[in-house]
Amino acid sequence: AKHEDRINRSIAYLYEHHDEELRLAKVAAVSGMSPESFSRFFKKATGKTFIGFLNELRISSACSLIHQSELTITEICFTCGFSNLSNFNRRFRKIKNMTPVEYRKRSPIGSA
């Protein structure tokens, strides 16, 4: 139960703050763990690294914004918590197998 509470607290924190600059140490502190212990714990509990999970969460948020808004890709990048466009594009392509621009062209707003 203690482990379940920790992971739930961590994931809830990530969902609430994924659009901010997040450090492993901060999320580990929310869980009451050292960064090293938290990193191992998080990977074991989710099957993903902290950064991998955070990037997937941010890209998911970006996909929603691409579908639901007319914000530019650059605006979406920074709104979702990425600090530079190059990294955003690289992470987006890795997770979605296409660029954000290609994704937008396939979305209902992009094709309208």
Side-chain angles (χ1 to χ4, degrees):
K2 182 179 178 183
H3 293 303
E4 200 172 305
D5 181 53
R6 277 188 173 156
I7 198 64
N8 289 340
R9 223 175 343 161
S10 302
I11 290 174
Y13 186 85
L14 288 172
Y15 271 88
E16 288 176 37
H17 300 277
H18 71 275
D19 56 345
E20 302 169 12
E21 183 178 328
L22 284 176
R23 299 273 184 234
L24 176 66
K26 174 65 177 167
V27 183
V30 168
S31 302
M33 302 174 82
S34 72
E36 297 79 14
S37 295
F38 176 76
S39 187
R40 285 190 303 275
F41 170 74
F42 193 85
K43 171 82 174 178
K44 188 175 180 183
T46 65
K48 299 176 184 186
T49 64
F50 166 74
I51 292 297
F53 186 91
L54 180 58
N55 282 333
E56 286 184 16
L57 184 57
R58 287 175 171 172
I59 295 301
S60 176
S61 178
C63 289
S64 293
L65 287 173
I66 288 170
H67 282 299
Q68 300 169 2
S69 76
E70 293 186 21
L71 294 172
T72 67
I73 298 300
T74 302
E75 290 169 327
I76 290 170
C77 160
F78 294 112
T79 299
C80 293
F82 287 92
S83 58
N84 71 65
L85 187 58
S86 177
N87 185 42
F88 171 69
N89 285 324
R90 192 169 38 258
R91 300 296 170 209
F92 196 101
R93 182 186 288 277
K94 183 177 182 184
I95 292 170
K96 292 295 182 183
N97 295 315
M98 67 181 80
T99 67
V101 172
E102 291 168 335
Y103 190 85
R104 172 162 273 165
K105 286 179 183 173
R106 296 179 186 191
S107 77
I109 288 178
S111 59

